[in-house]
Amino acid sequence: MYLIGFIQTAKPLVLINPEMFREVTGLFNWINKFLNSSDFELDTPVTLENLTASLNKDVPVQINFNGYAVALLLGNDEVVQQHTERFVYTDKFELLKLADD
């Protein structure tokens, strides 16, 4: 199993809105949809081969975004859980209701 989510780069122990995938190809497809070329430009293209090689290490993969204090964190489920303390799902919050309070 593979896990991906967002982290704050200053507080990388909380995984925000994690998604789980059974296969590397599902994870790869999610990344490709999120990192579309009209919104993001990576120095090194993400390929299935590079992703598979990175996921075989015992550390999570972190993809930083220039100018933003968030990053993607991904890896084998066990590896990501060892490097984070908790998961937070922001889609569970009624953000518009909280803004009115």
Side-chain angles (χ1 to χ4, degrees):
M1 296 291 269
Y2 301 98
L3 198 55
I4 188 169
F6 295 92
I7 57 167
Q8 292 179 311
T9 51
K11 300 176 187 175
L13 297 178
V14 177
L15 194 65
I16 304 165
N17 292 338
E19 295 279 337
M20 189 163 281
F21 298 91
R22 291 185 187 274
E23 299 176 359
V24 177
T25 53
L27 179 60
F28 176 76
N29 291 335
W30 187 97
I31 292 169
N32 269 342
K33 286 179 185 176
F34 181 79
L35 299 176
N36 63 67
S37 60
S38 63
D39 294 327
F40 296 98
E41 183 176 335
L42 298 175
D43 290 337
T44 305
V46 175
T47 65
L48 189 55
E49 183 179 323
N50 288 343
L51 182 59
T52 301
S54 298
L55 293 172
N56 287 330
K57 299 180 180 179
D58 290 333
V59 294
V61 177
Q62 183 172 326
I63 301 173
N64 295 325
F65 304 107
N66 286 335
Y68 295 95
V70 296
L72 283 173
L73 188 73
L74 58 128
N76 289 319
D77 180 34
E78 303 84 29
V79 172
V80 172
Q81 288 197 41
Q82 288 173 0
H83 287 85
T84 56
E85 290 182 357
R86 64 185 181 274
F87 297 166
V88 173
Y89 295 90
T90 62
D91 59 345
K92 304 284 188 221
F93 297 116
E94 293 184 40
L95 297 177
L96 293 176
K97 183 178 179 184
L98 292 174
D100 292 336
D101 291 341

